[in-house]
Amino acid sequence: MITVNILMTAGDRVKELKVTGHADFSEHGSDIVCSAVSALTQTALLGLVEIAELDLKYCIKEGFLSFSIPDTDELDKKLKACAIIDTMVMGLKNIEENYSPYIRLIVKKEV
């Protein structure tokens, strides 16, 4: 199962994302759930770096992806980052709705 841990700020913005595991929906190399999650999360990461121009820390390995979104006072960067992240989260929630035995989203809020 893929587990997606999302840490939200008190202001309901994604602060950190960590994706671990494999869906085991089908054979390695033809698993549509793993492919969809990888495509969404890695594209969001690319967007945060290239489009929102954020300098963020990330890690990508086999069965693992994580990143932390830094605070920024630049409104343009903040708006772009929010749009990218919100779209990614919508996509992940949609995958979870349709393939719940293979992916689990865990959303926690900072205290």
Side-chain angles (χ1 to χ4, degrees):
M1 175 182 279
I2 295 173
T3 303
V4 181
N5 287 284
I6 300 172
L7 178 62
M8 307 288 287
T9 66
D12 289 326
R13 292 282 133 218
V14 173
K15 181 176 181 172
E16 295 176 5
L17 177 94
K18 184 177 2 177
V19 182
T20 57
H22 293 281
D24 296 323
F25 178 77
S26 64
E27 293 180 29
H28 181 75
S30 62
D31 191 319
I32 62 170
V33 178
C34 272
S35 295
V37 171
S38 293
L40 276 172
T41 56
Q42 290 184 35
T43 300
L45 176 59
L46 283 171
L48 292 170
V49 172
E50 298 295 327
I51 304 299
E53 299 177 335
L54 295 179
D55 182 23
L56 50 85
K57 295 179 182 178
Y58 64 90
C59 179
I60 302 174
K61 296 189 246 183
E62 175 69 25
F64 182 85
L65 178 143
S66 69
F67 58 81
S68 299
I69 301 172
D71 287 333
T72 180
D73 290 331
E74 296 179 57
L75 183 59
D76 185 51
K77 287 183 179 186
K78 192 177 285 192
L79 292 174
K80 288 176 182 177
C82 287
I84 292 165
I85 290 297
D86 290 350
T87 303
M88 178 198 67
V89 171
M90 281 190 324
L92 291 169
K93 286 180 179 178
N94 186 267
I95 294 169
E96 182 184 41
E97 287 173 13
N98 292 291
Y99 296 94
S100 60
Y102 307 99
I103 179 173
R104 181 171 177 221
L105 268 69
I106 300 168
V107 180
K108 295 184 179 178
K109 198 168 191 174
E110 262 184 342
V111 284

